[in-house]
Amino acid sequence: MSTDNTTELLTQVAVRANALCQSVQDHAGNINATVNAKKAELDVAKQQAQADIQNYIADARAEQSHILLSRNQQMEPLGSNAIKGFTTTGLESFEVVKEATIYGQVGKHDEDHTGGGVATSFRDNVYRGYVNKKFHILRVKWKTSPGKTVRLDNTYSHGYDQGTLTKGCYIKVIEGQLAGDLQPVTEFNDGWKLHAYRQKANSSTGGFYAPHTALSFSSETGEALICLYGSVSGYVNLEGNAWGCYPEFARPSDIESLTGSIATLNSRVNELETPTA
């Protein structure tokens, strides 16, 4: 075979090889394009599934009837050194001032009791929606007792903190430091934060644990604005910043007429003579 023929054959082989390579590359490109398109579809489907799951969870939580377990979530002061229904421990001094009261719609009925602009700050930075029940924003100043465990509200000792529950409050620390199981969940402007703790019911037969020290003061002295502190039944949707004023079942001790009737009944029972056999 002549050199010319050999060269021609090699040229043809090279052309065919190049064509085959190009064909493979074209097919590979088509395959990659198809895979990428399917991957994009799967990513969209995955994101939609995640959104559906989150919406389902949020809706399921919203359907729960959360009931207030602790007392006085409206945070009514008891004089100038205590909060009604709260049990404070480990404090050498505790000063309570009613700074503001939040009502209904924004700007309609909110009261600023001291002229410090606290109601406006709360509305502008934390919540501008409708309030279903009025609540107070308190300014608390503290001085701790050396060597003592400090608690703002020892609801654990009352037996309220059972099963699945959520604890929370809106708080703005002006001076000092906080401690306890409540941790910042959402940070707002002007120093306001949502502090909360949440636990599931992990057993249907065993005992439940709840934090004994939910909110305490770790600094010797300090000052803070606080509102809507309480313990609520159920697993509240904190991811949606869903914290507010929750309904509460009346306790017999809250009903004056019932208390008086029971006292009268007990008195009459004591007056009865035991019948002879």
Side-chain angles (χ1 to χ4, degrees):
M1 180 179 295
S2 67
T3 302
D4 293 340
N5 291 337
T6 301
T7 301
E8 184 180 354
L9 290 175
L10 291 175
T11 300
Q12 293 175 359
V13 169
V15 170
R16 292 175 181 175
N18 290 336
L20 180 60
C21 289
Q22 184 61 49
S23 178
V24 170
Q25 290 177 355
D26 292 343
H27 284 297
N30 293 335
I31 292 172
N32 288 335
T34 302
V35 170
N36 289 334
K38 292 297 181 182
K39 182 176 181 298
E41 291 179 9
L42 291 174
D43 288 342
V44 171
K46 178 182 176 182
Q47 292 173 0
Q48 184 60 52
Q50 290 175 336
D52 290 343
I53 291 172
Q54 293 300 322
N55 289 337
Y56 175 82
I57 293 173
D59 290 342
R61 288 174 178 169
E63 291 171 2
Q64 296 181 26
S65 298
H66 298 296
I67 304 299
L68 186 67
L69 300 177
S70 57
R71 308 302 300 270
N72 188 23
Q73 197 186 15
Q74 288 76 31
M75 303 197 77
E76 183 69 40
L78 186 62
S80 60
N81 301 108
I83 304 172
K84 184 179 180 180
F86 281 58
T87 304
T88 56
T89 60
L91 292 172
E92 183 175 314
S93 66
F94 189 56
E95 180 182 339
V96 179
V97 175
K98 186 189 294 185
E99 282 284 338
T101 302
I102 304 299
Y103 295 86
Q105 296 178 350
V106 179
K108 290 284 184 76
H109 306 289
D110 295 343
E111 293 185 59
D112 188 343
H113 302 293
T114 66
V118 172
T120 301
S121 172
F122 184 85
R123 285 296 200 176
D124 288 346
N125 297 286
V126 180
Y127 184 71
R128 295 191 60 81
Y130 178 78
V131 174
N132 61 328
K133 190 173 186 180
K134 75 171 185 178
F135 61 88
H136 306 302
I137 301 175
L138 305 183
R139 182 183 300 271
V140 296
K141 297 180 181 180
W142 69 85
K143 183 176 181 181
T144 61
S145 301
K148 296 289 187 179
T149 299
V150 179
R151 298 187 181 95
L152 177 62
D153 184 28
N154 190 12
T155 57
Y156 181 91
S157 65
H158 300 314
Y160 300 152
D161 296 351
Q162 297 295 316
T164 175
L165 60 86
T166 305
K167 288 175 171 284
C169 69
Y170 291 108
I171 192 165
K172 174 183 177 179
V173 177
I174 299 170
E175 179 185 351
Q177 294 179 328
L178 304 178
D181 287 274
L182 266 64
Q183 298 296 317
V185 174
T186 306
E187 297 190 10
F188 305 93
N189 293 326
D190 199 24
W192 283 99
K193 295 181 181 180
L194 170 61
H195 280 239
Y197 167 88
R198 187 170 58 183
Q199 74 173 28
K200 298 178 180 178
N202 53 14
S203 171
S204 60
T205 57
F208 296 112
Y209 165 81
H212 204 165
T213 304
L215 185 62
S216 68
F217 309 123
S218 58
S219 57
E220 181 180 352
T221 60
E223 179 180 351
L225 297 171
I226 185 172
C227 62
L228 291 176
Y229 179 78
S231 302
V232 177
S233 64
Y235 205 70
V236 178
N237 180 22
L238 297 175
E239 293 81 1
N241 190 28
W243 190 251
C245 197
Y246 292 88
E248 177 182 10
F249 287 128
R251 297 173 172 88
S253 59
D254 297 332
I255 306 174
E256 294 182 4
S257 60
L258 179 59
T259 303
S261 298
I262 292 175
T264 301
L265 181 60
N266 286 336
S267 177
R268 291 179 179 176
V269 169
N270 292 332
E271 293 173 356
L272 293 177
E273 293 183 356
T274 303
T276 59

